[in-house]
Amino acid sequence: MELPSKINLSSPILDFVLYLIVLFLFPFGLIFSLYYPNVILEQGLAHRIFYFHVSVAWVALYSPILSSFFGILYLFSKKQVFDTLGFSMNKMAMLFSLFVLISGPIWAGSAWGTYWDWSDARLQSFFVLLLCLFAYFIFRSQYRDYHKRSLYSAVLSIFCALNSLLTWGAIRWIDNPGNHPGSVLGKGGMDPDMKTAFWINILSYHFLFFLLFILVYRNDSIMEKLVQIRETVED
Amino acid sequence: MIKSLLLKELRLLGKAKNGILSLLSLMFAFLFIFHYSLEKSMKLDVVSLIGLKWATIFLLSFVLIGQITYEERESGAYRVSALFVPPYLEYITKSIVVFIGLVIIEIIMNALLFVFFESMRSENVPLYQHVLFLLPGSLSISFLGVTLSEMSFGTRLKEILLPVLLIPLSIPVLLVGMEAERKLFIYNMVSIPYLVVLLSFSVLYLAIGILLREIAPED
């Protein structure tokens, strides 16, 4: 196997701009959501976790869909880069799903009086999504054949994306006897102060996600190259 | 060709007589434990029983799928069949035989549920409706399970990995199936949209399974 003499993984200008945006926007969004919007009286201060919870949930829900997109590209092209991109994207999905499942019960404990509602379709489907992602990583860690691992991972990513779509639809398509509220964008939306804080946080978590994704992808690419070098040396 | 393939798969299933017997014993033991420990002291409600029914089917499905797929692959017979049979056909027949196995188990299981649990003896629900949602649900699990068994075959812990993959990926099927049965038993309502969703799952898993068989390189 031919190995490139030089590997270029970073892009200084993009890195600088991204770091700068996240450095200012992320703390600003956080502080803004803590002090600017009015407190919802029934929930008290605990409702402020909403700006974190919903923002990370958005990212957690569409990361598997992006990963499945890379999976489909891999299935058509068989290019390793798409497998690595999908793998990194699923890592992000896992991380942000964990954030959702940690922040959700904290909020629920205060708002509903219980940390977990077993009758709620959205909660169960999110948990299933996390299980799917766990299965994906366990599978990848167990498979030895390089090419087949990528191929099957692409298919598993598609399954994870389906679960993600079901999670998105769980508060829309299923009769939900649980406590989870409906879509935040529906039913007339939010008060203007909440809306401002909400969109700033959505933006800041998206930039954070993008930055983390680039870093994770670079790390995975380096590991990939390391495996290639090892295989070439062994050959 | 399809007929001889089906016969081959059925013979494979028949060869595993001890396995099938152990499946039936497992199911009987599972239901009996619930009957003896719970139903005798308090009547189990219909929603709990629907959950028990689907959980049993799920549990038995991966035992059956593992049994029917791994044995052939381990003996090397799979490679011989692959020389003469298109991969997609092999996949479909295997899934259909798993489905037939599951249907037989479901019929026996429903009879046992009828005997063991009072809430299942609802006069408002005709007998055939007891398996109305189980059939498309089992079809989905069969297509998905056979695909996953092939994926897990190349791993070091295939017996463990099959349920690890099957649990999260089949939960949507189980949730939809249980919700449909809940509506059937409580409101006496046959929910066509849920039936369509379950059939759509089957078609989707079938399509993914065929696609994977066609593009995956052989060992």
Side-chain angles (χ1 to χ4, degrees):
Chain A
M1 190 191 292
E2 275 289 311
L3 286 172
S5 55
K6 192 181 169 193
I7 301 163
N8 190 13
L9 285 170
S10 64
S11 162
I13 299 170
L14 177 74
D15 284 7
F16 179 73
V17 173
L18 259 178
Y19 278 120
L20 209 65
I21 291 173
V22 173
L23 190 71
F24 286 103
L25 191 61
F26 188 66
F28 174 72
L30 199 70
I31 293 165
F32 193 80
S33 63
L34 286 176
Y35 292 102
Y36 178 69
N38 292 319
V39 174
I40 295 176
L41 287 176
E42 316 87 77
Q43 294 188 18
L45 278 175
H47 101 274
R48 293 197 189 280
I49 206 166
F50 157 79
Y51 303 104
F52 171 82
H53 179 73
V54 179
S55 308
V56 293
W58 275 31
V59 179
L61 281 183
Y62 65 64
S63 300
I65 295 169
L66 288 174
S67 176
S68 75
F69 175 68
F70 291 131
I72 291 167
L73 286 178
Y74 177 82
L75 289 176
F76 281 107
S77 68
K78 300 279 165 26
K79 283 185 180 161
Q80 200 57 40
V81 63
F82 293 121
D83 176 56
T84 315
L85 278 166
F87 181 46
S88 310
M89 192 56 85
N90 273 335
K91 281 184 179 173
M92 299 310 299
M94 180 87 162
L95 179 74
F96 279 77
S97 299
L98 279 172
F99 284 158
V100 175
L101 286 183
I102 292 168
S103 61
I106 295 173
W107 188 16
S110 143
W112 307 337
T114 176
Y115 292 102
W116 193 266
D117 182 355
W118 285 107
S119 64
D120 198 295
R122 170 54 80 84
L123 269 66
Q124 313 317 324
S125 55
F126 224 111
F127 184 62
V128 173
L129 175 64
L130 193 71
L131 284 180
C132 280
L133 290 165
F134 266 122
Y136 170 89
F137 288 110
I138 293 170
F139 177 80
R140 268 191 88 99
S141 70
Q142 289 296 314
Y143 221 96
R144 284 178 184 165
D145 185 321
Y146 207 58
H147 177 56
K148 272 193 168 181
R149 188 186 70 184
S150 307
L151 188 77
Y152 291 151
S153 298
V155 175
L156 283 179
S157 293
I158 296 171
F159 282 128
C160 290
L162 285 174
N163 262 314
S164 167
L165 278 174
L166 277 176
T167 306
W168 178 82
I171 50 169
R172 293 168 174 85
W173 307 329
I174 300 173
D175 286 345
N176 210 337
N179 287 306
H180 199 284
S183 166
V184 286
L185 300 177
K187 294 174 193 166
M190 299 163 272
D191 290 340
D193 54 334
M194 280 181 78
K195 204 181 265 181
T196 313
F198 172 73
W199 284 112
I200 288 172
N201 274 281
I202 287 283
L203 197 67
S204 76
Y205 281 98
H206 276 70
F207 274 110
L208 178 71
F209 155 74
F210 190 48
L211 177 70
L212 288 175
F213 171 66
I214 286 176
L215 295 177
V216 169
Y217 171 65
R218 266 179 211 159
N219 185 49
D220 289 339
S221 299
I222 292 167
M223 297 307 285
E224 199 76 42
K225 301 278 182 239
L226 205 68
V227 173
Q228 281 179 13
I229 290 168
R230 213 173 275 158
E231 278 180 356
T232 314
V233 171
E234 280 171 8
D235 286 345
Chain B
M1 186 190 273
I2 296 173
K3 194 184 157 195
S4 37
L5 264 175
L6 273 172
L7 280 173
K8 182 205 81 175
E9 296 296 342
L10 283 168
R11 271 192 208 115
L12 264 175
L13 194 67
K15 265 185 83 178
K17 276 195 288 280
N18 292 336
I20 292 168
L21 273 176
S22 61
L23 267 183
L24 292 174
S25 323
L26 185 67
M27 177 182 67
F28 187 82
F30 204 60
L31 296 182
F32 184 73
I33 288 168
F34 272 86
H35 167 75
Y36 195 77
S37 59
L38 294 171
E39 180 80 1
K40 280 186 106 174
S41 48
M42 55 162 197
K43 197 178 112 183
L44 275 176
D45 65 277
V46 78
V47 177
S48 310
L49 288 172
I50 291 166
L52 176 67
K53 183 158 92 172
W54 283 83
T56 313
I57 279 298
F58 168 75
L59 206 89
L60 299 177
S61 71
F62 70 74
V63 179
L64 184 69
I65 290 161
Q67 206 164 277
I68 199 170
T69 52
Y70 292 152
E71 198 174 308
E72 191 189 13
R73 278 188 168 249
E74 277 163 1
S75 66
Y78 172 77
R79 282 164 190 265
V80 181
S81 332
L83 292 172
F84 306 102
V85 183
Y88 76 91
L89 213 56
E90 175 88 23
Y91 166 76
I92 293 173
T93 45
K94 210 170 264 301
S95 306
I96 287 172
V97 171
V98 170
F99 174 64
I100 292 170
L102 282 178
V103 170
I104 294 168
I105 290 170
E106 277 156 16
I107 292 168
I108 300 170
M109 186 179 68
N110 270 297
L112 286 175
L113 282 167
F114 208 75
V115 173
F116 282 153
F117 303 98
E118 204 187 316
S119 306
M120 272 296 172
R121 290 171 223 148
S122 167
E123 284 170 12
N124 298 327
V125 180
L127 276 178
Y128 79 93
Q129 285 186 359
H130 282 251
V131 287
L132 187 65
F133 296 102
L134 271 179
L135 291 179
S138 313
L139 192 63
S140 307
I141 292 176
S142 308
F143 286 135
L144 177 69
V146 174
T147 305
L148 295 179
S149 73
E150 284 172 20
M151 286 167 71
S152 60
F153 186 74
T155 61
R156 279 165 285 184
L157 299 166
K158 59 178 185 296
E159 283 89 359
I160 296 170
L161 207 66
L162 177 61
V164 165
L165 290 171
L166 198 58
I167 289 169
L169 298 179
S170 61
I171 283 181
V173 176
L174 302 184
L175 287 178
V176 173
M178 284 192 284
E179 180 62 16
E181 286 212 341
R182 193 182 67 85
K183 285 195 170 162
L184 174 70
F185 279 92
I186 294 176
Y187 306 116
N188 204 17
M189 186 175 93
V190 176
S191 173
I192 301 296
Y194 283 117
L195 205 59
V196 174
V197 172
L198 285 171
L199 286 170
S200 312
F201 272 127
S202 309
V203 174
L204 179 81
Y205 291 148
L206 170 70
I208 291 177
I210 290 175
L211 181 80
L212 202 67
R213 265 289 174 108
E214 291 296 324
I215 57 174
E218 273 312 313
D219 296 320

